[in-house]
Amino acid sequence: MNYKVGIPQGLLFYEYYPLWKEFFSELGVEVLLSTKTNKKILDSGVSNCVDDACLPVKVFHGHVIDLKDKVDFLFVPKIISVKKREFECPKILGLPEMVSNTIKDLPPIIDPEINLWKSEKNISDSITELGKVFNVNKSKTKKAYKKACNKYYDVRRHLNSHVIPIDAIKIYNKLLKNTNFKKKDRLNILLLGHPYNIYDEYISMNIIEKMVKQDINLITSDMVDTKKINYYSKKIPKRMFWTAGRRLIGSAYSLLEEEKVNGIIYVSSFGCGLDSILIDLVQRKASLKNIPFTLLTIDEHTGEAGINTRIEAFIDMMKWRLNDENNISTHG
Ligand code: SF4
């Protein structure tokens, strides 16, 4: 029997989709993605999720609703930890339970537990269980997983060569095809934020496209070398135990310390517990380095006009600063 597995285009989809897609394809399972985020998905997510969840979690619920009647299984992995001594956000690790308790009439949920907190090797049981769901033997499942991992590392290598991930790759291809990514006379602006906030075109209101059109060199955390991220994330006094935090802090600190960035735009979801700490750490460091920083907080009520004005004003101010007033602080 040909099974169809639905993958919601939300949250860690923006990180692990290449791995999941390759794995299921190797098992002979068809993958169906939810529709890209749109108003209908946002509205259904908002009305089917608890009020105090952050925007990306609400949107994820909308994607589940979009898929639930079209597939045999839903893939909502329970991702607790993807690196030794690190955790994902509590809202991400409780996702399968949250979804299954709030949305009715769901198909069976495939929710393998990924927990590398103690060791980075104990994933094989979860993978073997996944294969069993589709009657695939252990050895074939392991091979599929190995191939999927190779694919994932390939994609990450490309990202480190300044390619923007997943959907943003399309924007990148369309807009940056014939341009030199690192033009010397352009501003280097770091767009910081969780991948599902900055790469989801609807949530971010196409921020990547808007920024690229302003003739700047756009940088995201995914484009910063992992070794540098790991090195600079250790510069804060207490060890960062959130994977997302390590990436955001490490990439921002690396670019600030090495003086490779002219300004930082941080996109955050209203009510994000992690960001309440991460924003402060990045903002303080940027201030110490005299680098302009602006925060765009988004929720389901955020208007696009306000975001456009903020981005344009911020970039205009930095262009002016670069050309005319090189040493003037823009912090006020
Ligand atoms: S890290 Fe923040 S935005 Fe992401 S799921 Fe957790 S609370 Fe929501």
Side-chain angles (χ1 to χ4, degrees):
M1 179 179 169
N2 279 343
Y3 293 107
K4 202 184 272 183
V5 168
I7 300 185
Q9 289 205 54
L11 293 173
L12 296 189
F13 161 86
Y14 288 93
E15 171 75 25
Y16 296 111
Y17 173 66
L19 188 152
W20 298 340
K21 166 82 173 123
E22 186 76 7
F23 177 68
F24 284 121
S25 300
E26 283 298 310
L27 294 187
V29 175
E30 189 184 340
V31 167
L32 183 71
L33 293 182
S34 54
T35 317
K36 278 178 157 189
T37 310
N38 54 36
K39 184 163 179 356
K40 190 173 162 212
I41 285 180
L42 172 65
D43 289 347
S44 66
V46 168
S47 47
N48 283 280
C49 185
V50 290
D51 285 342
D52 57 354
C54 58
L55 182 65
V57 168
K58 289 177 182 168
V59 169
F60 189 87
H61 280 63
H63 282 284
V64 168
I65 292 164
D66 179 70
L67 275 173
K68 75 184 182 77
D69 299 322
K70 304 175 188 167
V71 293
D72 304 307
F73 297 94
L74 268 173
F75 184 62
V76 187
K78 187 172 179 59
I79 303 183
I80 297 171
S81 165
V82 293
K83 195 172 187 328
K84 207 172 165 187
R85 300 184 72 219
E86 281 185 8
F87 278 118
E88 290 298 326
C89 163
K91 283 176 186 154
I92 287 178
L93 61 88
L95 210 52
E97 290 81 7
M98 207 173 172
V99 163
S100 57
N101 283 299
T102 47
I103 303 174
K104 288 194 182 116
D105 304 322
L106 290 176
I109 293 183
I110 304 175
D111 57 350
E113 184 176 294
I114 311 296
N115 188 355
L116 311 186
W117 164 254
K118 286 192 179 148
S119 155
E120 294 193 2
K121 293 196 176 104
N122 68 353
I123 202 168
S124 66
D125 288 351
S126 297
I127 297 304
T128 309
E129 288 305 308
L130 255 180
K132 280 186 195 164
V133 175
F134 305 106
N135 304 319
V136 179
N137 67 36
K138 195 172 173 179
S139 134
K140 194 173 172 200
T141 306
K142 271 190 170 176
K143 268 189 206 153
Y145 181 65
K146 198 173 170 201
K147 209 167 168 201
C149 285
N150 289 339
K151 172 87 178 186
Y152 174 71
Y153 293 130
D154 259 4
V155 172
R156 298 303 303 178
R157 266 191 292 279
H158 282 302
L159 297 180
N160 283 338
S161 326
H162 307 298
V163 178
I164 304 168
I166 311 296
D167 283 310
I169 284 174
K170 290 178 198 143
I171 299 168
Y172 175 89
N173 288 336
K174 206 164 66 190
L175 295 172
L176 301 182
K177 208 170 180 181
N178 298 315
T179 62
N180 178 0
F181 173 74
K182 289 217 156 184
K183 283 198 172 167
K184 278 200 175 132
D185 55 345
R186 285 182 173 186
L187 291 163
N188 293 322
I189 301 186
L190 172 63
L191 177 62
L192 212 52
H194 299 281
Y196 37 85
N197 279 337
I198 61 173
Y199 298 127
D200 184 317
E201 292 167 21
Y202 191 81
I203 289 190
S204 73
M205 293 167 239
N206 277 317
I207 191 167
I208 288 181
E209 191 166 347
K210 285 181 173 123
M211 287 177 66
V212 168
K213 280 182 175 165
Q214 297 268 339
D215 289 336
I216 52 119
N217 292 326
L218 173 75
I219 309 169
T220 70
S221 298
D222 294 295
M223 299 175 186
V224 179
D225 185 76
T226 310
K227 282 186 193 140
K228 287 191 177 181
I229 289 181
N230 292 340
Y231 174 77
Y232 283 103
S233 63
K234 290 183 186 141
K235 296 268 175 186
I236 52 173
K238 199 173 170 214
R239 187 177 66 82
M240 180 55 69
F241 56 85
W242 294 314
T243 296
R246 173 178 50 80
R247 288 187 184 150
L248 295 175
I249 293 291
S251 53
Y253 275 39
S254 140
L255 294 166
L256 286 164
E257 288 282 356
E258 296 183 0
E259 298 183 355
K260 288 183 176 163
V261 69
N262 302 100
I264 299 176
I265 297 180
Y266 198 124
V267 178
S268 173
S269 302
F270 179 75
C272 172
L274 271 63
D275 280 351
S276 62
I277 293 165
L278 304 178
I279 290 165
D280 191 57
L281 286 168
V282 175
Q283 193 166 11
R284 281 169 193 243
K285 185 76 172 175
S287 181
L288 281 174
K289 295 281 175 189
N290 198 22
I291 292 297
F293 173 97
T294 195
L295 171 65
L296 303 178
T297 306
I298 46 174
D299 67 9
E300 56 268 40
H301 307 295
T302 305
E304 188 163 0
I307 294 287
N308 291 349
T309 311
R310 297 274 308 278
I311 296 169
E312 281 167 25
F314 185 73
I315 293 177
D316 281 352
M317 179 189 67
M318 282 193 299
K319 283 180 180 167
W320 169 77
R321 188 184 196 230
L322 182 75
N323 295 329
D324 305 315
E325 303 283 353
N326 203 24
N327 290 316
I328 302 291
S329 163
T330 51
H331 288 283

